[in-house]
Amino acid sequence: MIAPKDIPQILIGIRFAIAPLLLLDALDHQTTWGFVVGYVIAILSDIFDGIIARRLGVSTAKLRQLDSWADICLFVGVAISTWLVYPKVIVDFRVPLLLAIAAQFTLFTINLIKFRKLPSFHTYTAKIWGLTLLIATVCLFGFGYASTLWLAIAFCLVNSIEEIVMTLLLPAWHCDVLSIFHALDLRKKLI
């Protein structure tokens, strides 16, 4: 019997499990509808793990960090799958994609230097970015339509900049800081 308090960890585990399955589906340079279905399930698990954890009172920094690692695994799997199935899209979007990747690496690097941990803010802009990634991934892998990738890249950059500024503002590492305004309030309390 599954205990309710274990549901968020199970949902995170589902994302860890789906990431390599998506990659396996793409290894032959094409994907089935199972790719899109698996990705949507992974995103739904991402949406509900935090909600359920907060409602059950089991949302801890460790769980939120595990959630962030599951996201990283999922998105790396999708990125590699995109390279395998739609290399022309990667080439066509190379400059904005490289900017987005550089922004994320900058965010990770600043957090690792300052706090010796990866960020786990779970901001509103990250949630919007996640939704735009969902749209872009479903459009690309479901219908071969790549233009929605522009929106996902734009929100990646917005989110990265916000979280870099938040990292620089905060004197100590925190998870679940929803926006730069929340970070400013938290900074006032901590200083």
Side-chain angles (χ1 to χ4, degrees), residues 75-125:
F75 296 133
V76 166
V78 170
I80 295 169
S81 296
T82 305
W83 177 254
L84 291 170
V85 179
Y86 295 102
K88 184 176 179 345
V89 170
I90 299 292
V91 172
D92 291 347
F93 283 83
R94 68 186 171 276
V95 173
L97 283 172
L98 287 172
L99 285 172
I101 291 167
Q104 282 289 288
F105 274 122
T106 301
L107 169 63
F108 292 168
T109 302
I110 291 170
N111 266 269
L112 287 170
I113 290 169
K114 186 168 184 180
F115 301 126
R116 294 195 162 103
K117 292 182 182 182
L118 289 176
S120 192
F121 291 121
H122 299 96
T123 58
Y124 293 129
T125 58

Side-chain angles (χ1 to χ4, degrees), residues 10 13 20 41 50 54-55 77 92-93 103 142 148 153 164 171 178 180:
I10 292 167
I41 290 169
R54 284 187 293 280
R55 293 239 170 108
D92 291 347
F93 283 83
T148 52
I153 291 168
I164 288 167
L178 297 175
I180 196 164

Side-chain angles (χ1 to χ4, degrees), residues 6-191:
D6 295 330
I7 293 172
Q9 289 178 324
I10 292 167
L11 290 172
I12 292 169
I14 287 170
R15 229 161 37 259
F16 275 116
I18 288 175
L21 294 175
L22 297 179
L23 195 54
L24 277 173
D25 190 18
L27 282 177
D28 62 354
H29 303 281
Q30 56 187 347
T31 56
T32 65
W33 270 96
F35 186 96
V36 173
V37 171
Y39 183 74
V40 169
I41 290 169
I43 294 301
L44 289 172
S45 81
D46 189 26
I47 291 168
F48 288 108
D49 66 357
I51 293 169
I52 293 169
R54 284 187 293 280
R55 293 239 170 108
L56 294 175
V58 296
S59 182
T60 63
K62 185 177 179 181
L63 184 72
R64 300 309 280 156
Q65 284 182 295
L66 190 62
D67 176 55
S68 295
W69 277 107
D71 292 344
I72 290 168
C73 288
L74 178 66
F75 296 133
V76 166
V78 170
I80 295 169
S81 296
T82 305
W83 177 254
L84 291 170
V85 179
Y86 295 102
K88 184 176 179 345
V89 170
I90 299 292
V91 172
D92 291 347
F93 283 83
R94 68 186 171 276
V95 173
L97 283 172
L98 287 172
L99 285 172
I101 291 167
Q104 282 289 288
F105 274 122
T106 301
L107 169 63
F108 292 168
T109 302
I110 291 170
N111 266 269
L112 287 170
I113 290 169
K114 186 168 184 180
F115 301 126
R116 294 195 162 103
K117 292 182 182 182
L118 289 176
S120 192
F121 291 121
H122 299 96
T123 58
Y124 293 129
T125 58
K127 293 174 190 328
I128 295 168
W129 177 31
L131 288 174
T132 61
L133 275 172
L134 172 64
I135 292 165
T137 303
V138 169
C139 285
L140 182 61
F141 285 92
F143 306 101
Y145 183 72
S147 291
T148 52
L149 193 54
W150 283 110
L151 191 60
I153 291 168
F155 274 101
C156 174
L157 292 170
V158 168
N159 173 253
S160 298
I161 291 166
E162 179 186 41
E163 291 192 12
I164 288 167
V165 172
M166 289 169 61
T167 301
L168 296 172
L169 283 172
L170 291 172
W173 185 91
H174 285 274
C175 65
D176 294 336
V177 183
L178 297 175
S179 72
I180 196 164
F181 303 108
H182 291 86
L184 287 167
D185 287 341
L186 184 58
R187 178 183 167 86
K188 288 177 192 173
K189 292 174 188 172
L190 294 174
I191 293 183

